[in-house]
Amino acid sequence: METKLIKTGKFIDGKEVLAIELTNTLGTYVKIYNYGAIINKFIVENKHGVKQDIVLGFDDIDQYTSDDYLSNYPYLGAVIGRYANRIKNGRFSIDGKTYQLSQANGGDCLHGGDIGFDKKVWDVLSTIDPSVTLQYISPAGEENFPGNLTVQLTFKLTDDNELILDFKASTDAPTAVNLTHHSYFNLAPKGGSIANHIHRIPASNYLEQDDNYVVTGKLIPVEGTIHDFLGDKAIGQDWNPDEGYDQTYVLDKPYGELTLASETSEADSGLKLSVYTTEPVAHFYTAKYLDVKRGKGGEDYHPYGAFCVETQHQPNAINVPEFTGTVLRPGENYKQTTIYKIEHT
């Protein structure tokens, strides 16, 4: 079990980008950058005894900041904050005061605004084999969110092949917080479409969305729809091949209880990824808009070449009173745990 801290020689806003390498006794290897808290590599042994990287990313840190990549930006492997997913019209109110955020994607705010936590260099607070704790202090007014927000994210790799993500946050003024991680997974040895991956989500309902993917507050039963993943099913079995999936699933569990959010397996590799979370929902995205040139090994990444399971509070919850609260106040502590567990089928 080991943690290594490696200098990249790259500086952003005067802060050095570092690579943190975590290795367990099974030989599983995770590489994380303190830029965007990006999970750059997640290498595991498949059923053939071959080491296989199950996340999308780049071989060179400079590619994460290139103009070409940012022009059609998919948030590869990055943390999302202050607010995951979309806020309707980029606007919300707390205690009678309205805050207007940046607007994109049809007038809504997406993933924290123009420069979210995914584009910040986080401080490395500590490294304890095999884990690392990163911290970012978001100043009041950043992306027009109120309050100074202190966020800590600990990555820990266990000998049970679990990568544990523990989020904590506190604020000095009431603010809106909804954090998640945006890793893109593909369990096939040679990549390609994830249509044949077998997927399960223990969720009896999903959230209605408007034409711009903003949730409205209405729950829709999955029964009888293409969104039913209560049992094992190939991802591509029922989907519209021109749309895939980009939906938020309401997990059949109490909020705060650490239980299964999704389970995905792939026959050729014999790998299974189980996601556990304390969060109330999981947003399932099959990468419709993925279009990345020269990823790892020079491979181009195409639509439906990966899937994301983004555990979080309900998107746009700040504007839907019935949803789990996303207002954090002084003296309160935001906490979230999500686990990526790898096994053989």
Side-chain angles (χ1 to χ4, degrees), residues 32-39 77-79 120 122 134 153 155 181:
I32 299 158
Y33 287 118
N34 65 329
Y35 172 71
I38 289 171
I39 298 176
V79 71
K120 302 295 184 180
W122 294 49
L134 305 178
L153 171 55
F155 297 91
H181 209 273

Side-chain angles (χ1 to χ4, degrees), residues 140-179:
E142 183 173 72
E143 292 295 323
N144 211 31
F145 283 94
N148 296 293
L149 184 74
T150 300
V151 181
Q152 293 182 2
L153 171 55
T154 298
F155 297 91
K156 182 179 180 180
L157 181 62
T158 75
D159 281 337
D160 291 324
N161 264 359
E162 296 175 332
L163 181 62
I164 303 172
L165 283 64
D166 278 319
F167 289 89
K168 296 180 181 179
S170 59
T171 183
D172 62 0
T175 191
V177 181
N178 192 16
L179 305 175

Side-chain angles (χ1 to χ4, degrees), residues 93-112:
S93 297
I94 298 177
D95 299 337
K97 183 173 181 180
T98 299
Y99 299 89
Q100 180 62 59
L101 311 175
S102 61
Q103 292 171 285
N105 296 280
D108 303 311
C109 183
L110 175 65
H111 288 337

Side-chain angles (χ1 to χ4, degrees), residues 218-246:
K218 180 181 177 181
L219 274 66
I220 302 176
V222 301
E223 185 178 0
T225 75
I226 65 171
H227 304 289
D228 188 346
F229 281 97
L230 286 168
D232 290 345
K233 182 175 74 172
I235 291 175
Q237 177 178 309
D238 297 328
W239 71 4
N240 176 342
D242 295 324
E243 291 293 329
Y245 292 99
D246 195 352

Side-chain angles (χ1 to χ4, degrees), residues 37-58:
I38 289 171
I39 298 176
N40 170 251
K41 292 183 180 180
F42 195 160
I43 298 176
V44 300
E45 185 176 289
N46 65 25
K47 70 177 182 182
H48 306 291
V50 176
K51 296 289 187 179
Q52 178 183 329
D53 195 346
I54 61 171
V55 297
L56 274 56
F58 293 110

